[in-house]
Amino acid sequence: MSQQVRAVVARSKGAPVGLETIVVPDPGPGEALVKVEACGVCHTDLHYREGGISDDFPFLLGHEAAGVVEAVGGGVTDVAPGDFVILNWRAVCGQCRACLRGRPWYCFNTHNARQKMTSADGTELSPALGIGAFAEKTLVAAGQCTKVDRAASAAAAGLLGCGVMAGIGAAINTGNVGRGDTVAVIGCGGVGDAAIVGAKLAGAARIIAVDIDDRKLATARRVGATHTVNSRETDAVDAVRELTGGFGADVVIEAVGRPETYRQAFYARDLAGTVVLVGVPTPEMQLELPLLDVFGRGGALKSSWYGDCLPSRDFPMLIDLYLQGRLDLDAFVTETIALDEVEKAFERMHHGDVLRSVVVF
Ligand code: APR
Ligand code: ZN
Ligand code: ZN
């Protein structure tokens, strides 16, 4: 028996999103039906709405979500009805070469629910990132659900499903930030701020936030930056070097996704330091660097894909830290909104004055 629920649908390229009644099928083998409790509004949702990711309209948006499993299909053993779960957009197979070599975040066979959710007239909907959680209920692959402690607020927990995990993971998983390190974070939006939080969790002694917007630097300081640099006013590389006795940072995390900020990251790191690229570039962007500098500076140039996270390992651990008061996820929830306010949240996103608007059901 399928169910009808309310959901946010992007009908066509660039058009405002609207609320619709959609039809959600019962879970088939390997699938779970989740009653969504909260879902954050991410830049990627807007990107889908603008047709920047795929032309497969209509899209069912929303992917930074937490909720309760209502029903599971055959063969599902990892989660059960009643479990409080965080959704993820990379349910890994555990069997491909990447999985077997211990790099499941590069899994070739990530899967989503096989059955389709549809609009009331029967049109198939494309769930953005295979989730589609701006909906009272959504159907996902069971592997997209990770059970965490029920005591966490759904609004905070859901954020681990995407941008906040990307930032924290860039610091703790990809950057391997260690106790006493100096870390610089270039670009302090939601992802950069989460990288700051991750660096702090990992025991960084100094965290230098770099941005071109003083409002962002103020927020960065609130979440844990010990120093701030406005790179519109001061040269970012000079400033980071000055704050590190002329050496540069041990780890520099680039959370903008542009060649000029990547170049800053490259030169703001200490010899043998690490650069982590978590900002996502566009296909036409190119980077030119003197090869001698790549050679001479040593260290590691890494990119971080979804914070190189392993949901089943990282989500419960981070939720535990949150419940112990050691990880302030609530700081990322600027406002909670109703399901019919997603379009308004997109507008606020443009003005850059929110970290996250979160739909609470
Ligand atoms: N130098 C420094 N900071 C910059 C620059 C620049 N040249 N240009 C933009 N910024 C800052 C902005 O002021 C903002 O604070 O980068 C930040 C970007 O933040 P958001 O737009 O909120 O984006 P966010 O959600 O944090 O994602 C950042 O990471 O995962 C990726 O796709 C994501 O590429 C995006 C990036
Ligand atoms: Zn795999
Ligand atoms: Zn996202």
Side-chain angles (χ1 to χ4, degrees):
M1 262 250 307
S2 57
Q3 303 190 36
Q4 297 207 342
V5 302
R6 293 184 316 144
V8 173
V9 176
R11 276 274 153 194
S12 58
K13 194 170 175 148
V17 298
L19 215 51
E20 294 188 16
T21 297
I22 65 160
V23 181
V24 184
D26 276 351
E31 293 174 342
L33 177 70
V34 176
K35 186 170 185 300
V36 182
E37 291 192 351
C39 184
V41 182
C42 177
H43 284 90
T44 304
D45 292 305
L46 184 56
H47 213 172
Y48 268 105
R49 193 202 74 169
E50 289 170 349
I53 295 182
S54 136
D55 287 329
D56 215 3
F57 286 92
F59 287 108
L60 182 55
L61 299 183
H63 59 273
E64 299 190 343
V68 173
V69 175
E70 185 171 288
V72 296
V76 175
T77 51
D78 288 349
V79 288
D83 284 354
F84 178 58
V85 295
I86 298 176
L87 302 184
N88 76 75
W89 40 268
R90 289 188 66 75
V92 302
C93 77
Q95 281 154 6
C96 71
R97 179 174 150 86
C99 282
L100 292 176
R101 300 192 80 209
R103 298 165 193 154
W105 40 90
Y106 289 122
C107 175
F108 316 142
N109 300 321
T110 55
H111 46 279
N112 305 323
R114 275 185 292 269
Q115 298 183 88
K116 288 285 184 185
M117 292 177 272
T118 59
S119 60
D121 64 8
T123 316
E124 280 192 0
L125 300 170
S126 310
L129 289 177
I131 294 186
F134 288 146
E136 290 160 325
K137 294 180 186 180
T138 192
L139 185 74
V140 293
Q144 293 179 272
C145 301
T146 305
K147 185 180 178 181
V148 296
D149 195 325
R150 172 68 272 196
S153 104
L159 297 184
L160 290 181
C162 183
V164 172
M165 184 68 244
I168 293 178
I172 66 174
N173 292 333
T174 318
N176 258 314
V177 171
R179 178 161 36 88
D181 279 356
T182 295
V183 177
V185 176
I186 302 179
C188 303
V191 173
D193 279 349
I196 289 170
V197 165
K200 188 177 166 192
L201 263 183
R206 286 178 163 218
I207 303 171
I208 305 165
V210 180
D211 203 292
I212 48 175
D213 182 339
D214 281 328
R215 291 176 309 164
K216 302 293 184 154
L217 292 172
T219 315
R221 214 175 252 282
R222 260 202 307 284
V223 299
T226 58
H227 300 76
T228 54
V229 173
N230 185 323
S231 55
R232 228 195 256 292
E233 295 161 3
T234 319
D235 182 81
V237 176
D238 289 348
V240 172
R241 291 232 179 109
E242 206 164 293
L243 288 166
T244 51
F247 293 109
D250 299 298
V251 181
V252 185
I253 298 170
E254 201 279 8
V256 185
R258 302 190 55 83
E260 62 271 25
T261 39
Y262 189 89
R263 183 180 299 275
Q264 291 168 358
F266 181 82
Y267 286 108
R269 76 190 166 127
D270 196 0
L271 289 175
T274 301
V275 178
V276 176
L277 175 65
V278 63
V280 183
T282 57
E284 66 281 1
M285 289 179 181
Q286 303 284 327
L287 176 71
E288 203 174 294
L289 284 172
L291 194 53
L292 189 59
D293 286 351
V294 176
F295 175 76
R297 301 184 64 81
L301 307 177
K302 303 173 98 176
S303 64
S304 187
W305 176 232
Y306 196 178
D308 290 346
C309 80
L310 196 49
S312 50
R313 176 194 66 193
D314 295 339
F315 292 176
M317 180 266 289
L318 292 171
I319 289 297
D320 281 351
L321 293 177
Y322 166 71
L323 290 172
Q324 294 160 16
R326 295 160 71 192
L327 168 59
D328 185 7
L329 293 174
D330 294 321
F332 288 85
V333 183
T334 311
E335 58 172 2
T336 56
I337 60 172
L339 189 57
D340 60 4
E341 294 176 303
V342 170
E343 187 59 39
K344 249 192 277 172
F346 285 152
E347 280 160 34
R348 290 198 62 184
M349 199 181 257
H350 270 313
H351 295 122
D353 52 1
V354 286
L355 266 181
R356 273 296 183 271
S357 305
V358 180
V359 173
V360 174
F361 292 79

